[in-house]
Amino acid sequence: MRLPQDIATRTSSDALSDCLGLLRRRWAILLLCLAAGFTGGVAITRFATPAFTATAQVLVTPTGVQDQFNQLSNRQREPLNLDTESQIAQSTVVTEQAMRTLGTAGHASEPPLIDVSVPPNSAVLSISATTPWPETAAAQANAFAQAYLSHRAATATETLNAQLKALMSKRRQVLGSLARGATALADIPRGSAEHSLATGEQATRSRQLRAVTLRYDELKTVVVTPGKLIGGASVPEAPSFPSLPLNLGSGLMIGLLTGAAAATLRDRLDTRLRSAADVERLTSLPVLTSFTGRPGPSPDILGAGPVSGALAGFPAGPMSELASWLVAACPSGHILLYTPPRAPAPAPLVDSLAEALGRSAPLSVLGGSDVGDLARADAAVLLVTQHVTRSTDVTAATRHLTRHKVTVIGTVLIGADLLASRPPVRTSRAATDWARPVHHNEKIPKARV
């Protein structure tokens, strides 16, 4: 027995083709999700409360006292640690001072939404405030910038005063030591070892006094420079939120991802066979022919002459194609027309198709009505009912036939139009009763004489 050439199936390398085929089959779900995402973006833009953002820029300079320096890098080339300064600008102390300023100006409200960023390779802090009112946003950004500069100046001044106070105390301590040393030195005889030691200690105290005095004089001349406001926040003219391009882009992206996921899930769960492409894609079995068109009269088939009766109603083209496949696959064997048990085709239709194939080609076609057909069959053709049979049914039928050592050549797709228009096969009641399978607890009818 010679089997037909296998039809190439899709592999994992055809991922792009699989995705395009999935979208082509489930385009309605994808379009629905895209429309929902687009509508959601428009709705958010239309009904969301607008928010305005104002930004003030502060140039941070060394105060001249004691600053926190950082290691220079590609991101930060300034010696000041602006990451620390950005956290200070959002601290509770600066917030309280800014809220007092805003309360005095009549812009007091709940704590605002403040964001402080540091542009790369700069010594600038960008202080942004976001509120539903543009004037309030500008006032809050400027208030936080001024509060930060005031806090930085106050902290530097406090540190400077503490250093001056410490130097003054140290100076008084050194002066007292010098006075006590001078008094003790007068009572020590000159030329003695004690006199030389006391003279050296006095010289050391003199150098300490000179260093403390120089440092004190330096700090007294220090001018505290916390920085300055180089760009005051202006009243924004357009809201920063919602953004129509951002909302539409986000909605379309979410819709696309949701649609792709829903289409994939739907395609995985839907195993119903609707077309020849579905049969080959989900079962990996070739479709030998399809009887999916509206039936009509059948002309001469493979030189067998005009047909009628059981042959009537089967299209000539698909019948010829099917007969050619079967002759090439099993020229001298028995062909079984098998329908999956869960989605069987009507028995009259199977018998008619088997009789039509037997008349149109030199084949021994078994319709499956006889209990010995499965044992005599050398090969089988599965009859798939369009929109009824599922891929799981075909898989179960193929596994069943394989266990009985029957090779499955392929499938035949039968359309709903053909099922609806098939005329019933006229058989005697006794013959029909004896031909059909007998179920449990059912008595076999007696043949009428």
Side-chain angles (χ1 to χ4, degrees):
M1 180 178 62
R2 184 167 53 90
L3 297 180
Q5 184 178 1
D6 293 336
I7 297 179
T9 58
R10 300 189 180 210
T11 61
S12 58
S13 61
D14 300 327
L16 180 60
S17 300
D18 293 340
C19 292
L20 294 179
L22 172 63
L23 297 180
R24 185 170 57 253
R25 293 189 301 271
R26 307 297 175 184
W27 60 270
I29 298 178
L30 181 63
L31 288 183
L32 180 61
C33 293
L34 285 176
F38 181 84
T39 305
V42 174
I44 292 176
T45 306
R46 176 65 179 83
F47 299 104
T49 302
F52 296 86
T53 301
T55 303
Q57 293 181 331
V58 177
L59 176 63
V60 184
T61 57
T63 58
V65 185
Q66 183 179 358
D67 294 300
Q68 295 183 2
F69 296 97
N70 64 340
Q71 187 176 2
L72 300 183
S73 62
N74 293 331
R75 178 186 177 277
Q76 182 62 50
R77 299 183 182 276
E78 298 295 330
L80 289 176
N81 192 334
L82 293 184
D83 292 333
T84 302
E85 297 300 324
S86 64
Q87 296 301 318
I88 295 175
Q90 304 175 70
S91 63
T92 304
V93 178
V94 175
T95 301
E96 293 177 352
Q97 185 174 351
M99 293 303 293
R100 287 194 297 268
T101 304
L102 291 172
T104 304
H107 293 283
S109 60
E110 59 183 10
L113 179 61
I114 299 297
D115 179 70
V116 181
S117 60
V118 182
N121 301 327
S122 68
V124 177
L125 294 181
S126 297
I127 303 177
S128 303
T130 302
T131 64
W133 305 278
E135 296 81 4
T136 304
Q140 289 179 355
N142 290 326
F144 268 80
Q146 294 295 343
Y148 165 73
L149 291 175
S150 300
H151 174 73
R152 181 173 171 80
T155 302
T157 301
E158 183 180 356
T159 303
L160 179 61
N161 293 334
Q163 291 179 2
L164 289 174
K165 185 178 180 179
L167 289 174
M168 183 60 69
S169 176
K170 181 67 175 179
R171 186 171 181 275
R172 285 195 295 265
Q173 181 182 358
V174 174
L175 285 174
S177 298
L178 281 174
R180 290 190 298 271
T183 302
L185 186 62
D187 298 335
I188 299 175
R190 292 181 177 272
S192 62
E194 292 79 0
H195 188 275
S196 300
L197 182 60
T199 302
E201 292 179 354
Q202 284 294 94
T204 301
R205 295 189 185 98
S206 298
R207 289 193 297 270
Q208 291 178 353
L209 178 61
R210 184 165 53 254
V212 170
T213 303
L214 289 176
R215 179 59 180 166
Y216 183 83
D217 293 340
E218 290 178 359
L219 292 180
K220 288 291 290 185
T221 58
V222 169
V223 178
V224 176
T225 55
K228 62 180 179 179
L229 184 66
I230 60 175
S234 57
V235 179
E237 299 180 356
S240 58
F241 176 85
S243 175
L244 181 60
L246 178 61
N247 292 338
L248 290 182
S250 301
L252 290 176
M253 182 59 65
I254 294 175
L256 179 61
L257 295 178
T258 305
T264 303
L265 181 61
R266 175 61 177 167
D267 198 68
R268 292 291 179 88
L269 297 179
D270 186 11
T271 58
R272 188 169 298 176
L273 304 176
R274 297 178 173 84
S275 63
D278 292 340
V279 176
E280 295 182 353
R281 177 175 57 88
L282 297 177
T283 66
S284 300
L285 292 175
V287 177
L288 305 182
T289 189
S290 300
F291 296 106
T292 56
R294 185 168 297 276
S298 297
D300 184 16
I301 300 176
L302 296 181
V307 295
S308 61
L311 290 175
F314 289 106
M319 181 64 72
S320 302
E321 183 180 3
L322 177 59
S324 300
W325 272 97
L326 297 182
V327 169
C330 188
S332 59
H334 295 79
I335 302 295
L336 173 63
L337 299 182
Y338 189 81
T339 59
R342 293 185 179 181
L349 176 65
V350 178
D351 294 338
S352 299
L353 182 58
E355 185 177 356
L357 287 173
R359 293 185 181 182
S360 61
L363 294 171
S364 177
V365 183
L366 307 176
S369 59
D370 191 354
V371 293
D373 287 350
L374 184 61
R376 292 194 301 270
D378 297 323
V381 175
L382 297 181
L383 301 182
V384 176
T385 305
Q386 192 178 22
H387 302 289
V388 176
T389 308
R390 298 180 179 272
S391 61
T392 53
D393 302 332
V394 175
T395 303
T398 304
R399 190 180 300 113
H400 173 71
L401 293 173
T402 303
R403 282 199 299 265
H404 289 80
K405 298 181 180 180
V406 178
T407 304
V408 179
I409 299 176
T411 60
V412 173
L413 186 62
I414 301 176
D417 294 337
L418 184 62
L419 292 176
S421 62
R422 285 300 303 168
V425 177
R426 297 180 179 178
T427 57
S428 64
R429 182 176 178 181
T432 304
D433 291 339
W434 281 105
R436 65 181 178 86
V438 179
H439 300 279
H440 295 287
N441 301 326
E442 183 181 358
K443 296 182 178 179
I444 302 177
K446 296 182 179 179
R448 296 182 180 180
V449 181

